[in-house]
C-alpha cells in the first residue's frame, strides 16, 4: 500500500524539566496567536494613551489662556506639563505589559483572550523583572518587524525580549484554562492551616507553583503526578514549619488546602 508521510504538527512544542525533575510539555503560542493578543493589547493601551492625550491637551489650552500660574510663567508650566505627560505615556506603555503579566501570571488582556501566556525558561511563572525587561525591549521588536521575524525563524519562537528575559510564550491548554475546584474538605483544612501557620512564608512564586500543579495534574501521568505532589507537599510543609498536620490527608488534599489558605490570606 502507498505510504503517506505524517502531517507536520501545526504548533511547535517545547519540553521543560521542572525543579522536581519532571518533564512538562508546552505548546508554543505561535505568531498568529501572539499577533491577535498584541493587537488587542495595543487597542487597550491606545485608549489609555488617548485619555492621557486629551487630559494633556486640556491642560495645555488652559495654560495658553493665562500668563502665570502661581507666579510661574505659563511657558515654564507648559514645559513641565509636557515633560510630565511624556513620562506618564512612557510608564503607561511599559507598565501596561509589565504589571498585567506580573499580576495575571504571564497574561495581559490580549493574551488572556488569545489563551496564551508567558513563562520562564524553567517553566516557572514570569515575575516582575522578566516582565519589565520584555516590556522595555518591545519597541526594538516592533521596529521593522524584528520580533516577527525572530519568532518565525526561532525554533522556540522567541523575540528579542524573550531571549534576553529568558521567557517563552506558550498556549494555555484546556486544563489550565479553567478554574481550580477545591473540595469542601480541602477548604476546611485550609481554614485550619490559616490558624496554624503564617501564610506570608509563601511567596507569590510558591503560590504560582502550587497553582500550576493543581491546574496541570490531570494531564500528568500517575507516576509524575505522585512524584511532584509528594515533593511539593514535603517542601511546603517544611517551609511553613508544620511539624504535624491538622488531620490525615493525601498530598493532593494538602496542596489544595494550601492553595485555598493562601487565597484566603490575601
Amino acid at each position: 500500500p502507498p505510504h503517506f508521510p505524517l502531517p507536520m504538527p501545526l504548533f511547535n512544542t517545547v519540553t521543560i524539566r521542572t525543579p522536581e525533575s519532571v518533564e512538562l510539555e508546552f505548546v508554543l503560542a505561535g505568531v498568529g496567536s501572539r499577533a491577535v493578543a498584541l493587537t488587542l493589547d495595543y487597542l487597550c493601551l491606545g485608549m489609555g494613551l488617548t485619555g492621557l492625550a486629551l487630559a494633556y491637551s486640556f491642560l495645555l489650552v488652559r495654560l495658553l489662556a493665562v500668563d502665570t500660574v502661581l507666579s510661574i510663567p505659563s511657558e515654564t508650566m507648559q514645559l513641565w506639563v509636557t515633560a510630565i505627560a511624556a513620562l506618564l505615556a512612557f510608564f503607561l506603555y511599559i507598565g501596561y505589559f509589565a504589571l498585567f503579566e506580573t499580576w495575571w501570571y504571564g497574561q495581559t488582556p490580549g493574551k488572556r483572550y488569545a489563551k496564551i501566556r508567558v513563562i520562564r525558561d524553567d517553566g516557572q511563572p514570569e515575575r516582575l523583572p522578566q516582565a519589565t525587561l520584555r516590556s522595555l525591549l518591545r519597541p526594538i521588536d516592533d521596529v521593522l518587524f524584528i520580533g516577527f521575524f525572530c519568532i518565525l525563524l526561532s525554533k522556540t519562537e522567541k523575540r528579542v525580549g524573550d531571549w534576553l528575559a529568558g521567557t517563552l510564550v506558550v498556549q494555555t491548554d484546556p486544563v489550565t484554562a479553567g478554574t481550580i475546584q477545591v473540595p469542601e474538605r480541602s477548604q476546611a483544612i485550609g481554614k485550619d492551616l490559616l490558624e496554624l501557620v503564617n501564610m506570608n512564608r509563601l511567596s507569590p512564586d510558591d503560590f504560582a507553583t502550587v497553582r500550576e500543579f493543581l491546574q496541570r495534574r490531570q494531564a500528568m501521568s500517575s507516576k509524575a503526578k505522585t512524584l511532584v505532589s509528594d515533593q511539593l507537599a514535603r517542601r511546603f510543609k517544611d517551609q511553613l514549619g508544620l511539624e504535624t498536620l491538622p488531620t490525615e490527608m493525601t498530598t493532593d488534599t494538602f496542596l489544595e488546602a494550601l492553595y485555598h489558605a493562601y487565597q484566603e490570606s490575601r
Side-chain angles (χ1 to χ4, degrees):
H3 172 73
F4 296 98
L6 292 175
M8 292 293 289
L10 294 177
F11 299 99
N12 291 329
T13 60
V14 61
T15 301
I16 296 174
R17 182 177 292 273
T18 69
E20 291 77 29
S21 297
V22 175
E23 291 186 346
L24 297 177
E25 186 176 68
F26 294 90
V27 179
L28 296 174
V31 70
S33 298
R34 295 178 72 162
V36 170
L38 187 60
T39 299
L40 293 175
D41 283 328
Y42 273 155
L43 286 174
C44 295
L45 185 58
M47 289 189 289
L49 291 173
T50 299
L52 179 61
L54 291 174
Y56 166 72
S57 300
F58 174 78
L59 287 175
L60 200 61
V61 169
R62 297 297 297 268
L63 289 172
L64 289 172
V66 297
D67 295 326
T68 61
V69 178
L70 300 175
S71 301
I72 301 174
S74 177
E75 292 79 4
T76 303
M77 290 297 295
Q78 291 173 37
L79 291 174
W80 275 104
V81 169
T82 301
I84 292 172
L87 281 175
L88 288 176
F90 172 77
F91 285 119
L92 180 60
Y93 179 83
I94 299 300
Y96 174 88
F97 293 97
L99 295 180
F100 266 121
E101 288 182 5
T102 301
W103 289 338
W104 283 6
Y105 297 98
Q107 289 188 312
T108 57
K111 288 185 177 68
R112 179 165 289 189
Y113 176 83
K115 294 182 172 57
I116 61 177
R117 65 192 178 100
V118 185
I119 61 173
R120 299 201 300 250
D121 284 342
D122 60 0
Q124 296 297 307
E126 179 194 29
R127 302 308 303 164
L128 184 59
Q130 295 85 30
T132 302
L133 185 55
R134 292 183 82 253
S135 190
L136 286 170
L137 293 168
R138 184 172 294 279
I140 297 176
D141 282 306
D142 290 345
V143 172
L144 300 177
F145 298 100
I146 292 175
F148 174 79
F149 288 110
C150 285
I151 293 171
L152 283 181
L153 299 175
S154 167
K155 186 177 180 180
T156 52
E157 299 182 358
K158 290 189 174 196
R159 63 177 178 86
V160 175
D162 290 315
W163 284 112
L164 296 180
T167 55
L168 293 164
V169 183
V170 299
Q171 293 186 10
T172 57
D173 53 39
V175 174
T176 61
T179 57
I180 297 173
Q181 299 296 328
V182 180
E184 291 185 5
R185 181 168 183 267
S186 299
Q187 293 183 28
I189 296 173
K191 292 179 181 178
D192 292 337
L193 288 177
L194 283 173
E195 299 178 0
L196 290 175
V197 297
N198 179 11
M199 296 306 298
N200 289 328
R201 292 185 179 182
L202 292 184
S203 68
D205 271 355
D206 294 330
F207 171 73
T209 300
V210 175
R211 177 174 176 267
E212 181 78 9
F213 167 74
L214 294 177
Q215 288 176 324
R216 296 186 64 88
R217 58 182 171 175
Q218 296 302 324
M220 301 170 67
S221 67
S222 177
K223 182 178 180 181
K225 175 185 171 183
T226 301
L227 174 64
V228 176
S229 180
D230 289 348
Q231 291 187 356
L232 288 179
R234 191 180 305 111
R235 165 184 161 189
F236 292 124
K237 181 175 178 289
D238 294 340
Q239 188 170 326
L240 292 171
L242 276 169
E243 296 183 1
T244 58
L245 296 175
T247 182
E248 287 190 14
M249 66 188 82
T250 64
T251 53
D252 271 26
T253 299
F254 174 68
L255 294 174
E256 290 169 349
L258 203 61
Y259 171 84
H260 181 74
Y262 186 91
Q263 285 193 313
E264 289 295 311
S265 71
R266 295 298 182 272

